Amino acid sequence: DSGVTQTPKHLITATGQRVTLRCSPRSGDLSVYWYQQSLDQGLQFLIQYYNGEERAKGNILERFSAQQFPDLHSELNLSSLELGDSALYFCASSVKGQPLANYGYTFGSGTRLTVV
Amino acid sequence: ELKVEQNPLFLSMQEGKNYTIYCNYSTTSDRLYWYRQDPGKSLESLFVLLSNGAVKQEGRLMASLDTKARLSTLHITAAVHDLSATYFCAANMIKAAGNKLTFGGGTRVLVKP
């Protein structure tokens, strides 16, 4: 157990629907990163939050949004889902806004999203 | 924009032999990471390389970093079946907002008896 908790582990939903993925960072970590892993795109950075504020944005679609709450857990909202959104979504955390020199990120076990 | 490329994309290994995975990155980065991922599983941190000439070893894996060449290598010594996995390298851009990690495409390693 890495200490980063993601729920749910699996999600199957229909096109056009909306889902919410949840991430609880490792205790003491202030920064949360979301990544999408698909077969054709590899690991793509979506967005980062640090202590409740958005810090960096990557290739995140306008249909996707995220937030980090006062208790530091984060949610990734995916709406108007398309077949191509099927992927593994990983959350990672680190203590500071920057990857720690000796540890980098700690990844959660991921949420596998299947859009049918 | 930082780009990270790995090669090869797939490596079929024979047990007992040595192999190397290469990771090139396009712009100056202040640290380089190696991760391992088993099928359907999360990413496990293997090494963090912080400076030019850095070398780290754990068991049969050894990683090195040449910042001048913008190249990192992951060397596998006397491959064993347990090393079958996908290996990713990742780098971050110096002073970029948030210091997000950019990942290479991964090298899928299959060790055959």
Side-chain angles (χ1 to χ4, degrees):
Chain A
D1 181 8
S2 68
V4 178
T5 304
Q6 287 189 249
T7 57
K9 292 193 185 307
H10 302 276
L11 201 47
I12 301 175
T13 190
T15 55
Q17 294 298 306
R18 172 189 168 96
V19 297
T20 297
L21 313 183
R22 183 186 168 105
C23 169
S24 294
R26 199 177 49 170
S27 178
D29 285 0
L30 300 177
S31 202
V32 170
Y33 308 78
W34 285 97
Y35 280 81
Q36 179 193 57
Q37 186 178 34
S38 58
L39 284 175
D40 55 344
Q41 296 288 324
L43 269 160
Q44 296 288 317
F45 170 73
L46 296 178
I47 198 164
Q48 179 204 356
Y49 279 83
Y50 174 71
N51 204 19
E53 294 188 1
E54 182 183 303
R55 177 64 69 93
K57 217 167 189 177
N59 300 321
I60 187 166
L61 300 172
E62 285 191 10
R63 302 183 284 108
F64 296 1
S65 65
Q67 54 184 327
Q68 186 178 27
F69 295 86
D71 67 352
L72 300 177
H73 91 271
S74 177
E75 293 181 356
L76 179 66
N77 300 297
L78 315 176
S79 61
S80 302
L81 284 167
E82 302 174 0
L83 295 178
D85 297 327
S86 295
L88 257 175
Y89 290 84
F90 285 108
C91 165
S93 72
S94 66
V95 171
K96 298 182 179 179
Q98 304 161 6
L100 273 190
N102 294 325
Y103 302 109
Y105 298 167
T106 301
F107 278 84
S109 57
T111 293
R112 181 172 293 281
L113 173 67
T114 304
V115 182
V116 297
Chain B
E1 182 186 347
L2 175 61
K3 293 188 188 301
V4 180
E5 292 186 355
Q6 287 179 239
N7 68 83
L9 296 181
F10 177 72
L11 201 41
S12 179
M13 299 184 180
Q14 285 188 338
E15 279 192 331
K17 294 195 173 180
N18 303 332
Y19 298 88
T20 301
I21 300 171
Y22 299 89
C23 174
N24 290 92
Y25 52 97
S26 61
T27 62
T28 306
S29 176
D30 58 357
R31 53 196 70 166
L32 195 292
Y33 301 80
W34 284 95
Y35 285 87
R36 169 185 169 139
Q37 184 181 35
D38 291 301
K41 302 294 184 182
S42 185
L43 285 88
E44 173 192 355
S45 179
L46 294 175
F47 301 109
V48 180
L49 302 168
L50 301 177
S51 59
N52 188 41
V55 177
K56 289 196 174 179
Q57 183 164 6
E58 179 74 32
R60 300 175 187 275
L61 301 179
M62 183 175 71
S64 64
L65 179 62
D66 181 345
T67 57
K68 293 179 182 177
R70 295 179 186 163
L71 170 70
S72 180
T73 59
L74 181 66
H75 188 72
I76 298 173
T77 301
V80 292
H81 179 71
D82 284 353
L83 293 179
S84 296
T86 299
Y87 294 84
F88 291 93
C89 65
N92 70 311
M93 199 154 42
I94 293 177
K95 296 180 182 176
N99 269 303
K100 66 181 175 74
L101 289 186
T102 298
F103 282 82
T107 297
R108 186 173 162 228
V109 167
L110 180 61
V111 182
K112 298 180 178 178

